[in-house]
Amino acid sequence: HVHANVTNYGTQWGMGIGGGLVKGVMQNTVFDIYQHSGVPQDLLQFSTLRRNGQLPSGCLGGTCTGTLVKHIVQEALSKTYILLTAVCLVACLCICCSVVCWCRQQRGLRAVPCAVQRRQAPPAPASQPAPASQPANLVDALS
């Protein structure tokens, strides 16, 4: 059910598809447009601006970032990409858990995250006596 014709007194051609259109011409029929109306001025201006990279960006007021994020989220949750999104989220979760577990093992911790653990200076070797000019412990220093 494809239909084509010449309209507007021979100045435009048209095409349509659908069950309600009646096929009025045979296949391979050539349509002639008798009057050339030219390209509208607005379309010429748009084409020139686009070619020169001067079209407005649509970000007046800085609203493009939110729109971009919304588009990415909608695309990620679409039927096409939902499985890939789920796999990526699971992979990120596994990586984060692995880093936290590795960090805890490196620090010898069981329940405290790495960032909470404070570094302490290693104890002085027992074989070396404390220098004579400094007290050996805090009690000696206060007395």
Side-chain angles (χ1 to χ4, degrees):
H1 298 276
V2 177
H3 178 69
N5 63 359
V6 176
T7 63
N8 202 14
Y9 306 105
T11 61
Q12 296 176 339
W13 57 272
M15 290 182 64
I17 185 169
L21 295 175
V22 177
K23 186 175 179 181
V25 293
M26 298 302 294
Q27 186 173 354
N28 298 322
T29 301
V30 176
F31 292 104
D32 291 322
I33 304 295
Y34 298 109
Q35 298 175 2
H36 178 40
S37 61
V39 178
Q41 185 61 32
D42 290 340
L43 184 56
L44 285 174
Q45 182 183 10
F46 175 84
S47 178
T48 303
L49 289 173
R50 182 168 186 227
R51 192 175 322 110
N52 296 333
Q54 296 175 337
L55 283 176
S57 65
C59 293
L60 187 63
T63 59
C64 287
T65 304
T67 304
L68 177 63
V69 170
K70 182 178 177 182
H71 171 71
I72 290 172
V73 169
Q74 286 176 344
E75 194 70 24
L77 298 177
S78 69
K79 287 188 221 179
T80 305
Y81 296 111
I82 190 67
L83 184 60
L84 179 62
T85 301
V87 169
C88 289
L89 288 174
V90 168
C92 288
L93 184 62
C94 289
I95 290 169
C96 289
C97 288
S98 297
V99 168
V100 168
C101 290
W102 177 81
C103 189
R104 286 183 180 174
Q105 288 175 355
Q106 294 297 319
R107 306 268 186 192
L109 300 175
R110 297 273 182 227
V112 181
C114 304
V116 176
Q117 177 67 23
R118 292 188 181 149
R119 293 184 182 190
Q120 296 177 353
S127 62
Q128 295 178 353
S133 62
Q134 295 180 352
N137 57 37
L138 183 60
V139 175
D140 291 341
L142 295 176
S143 54

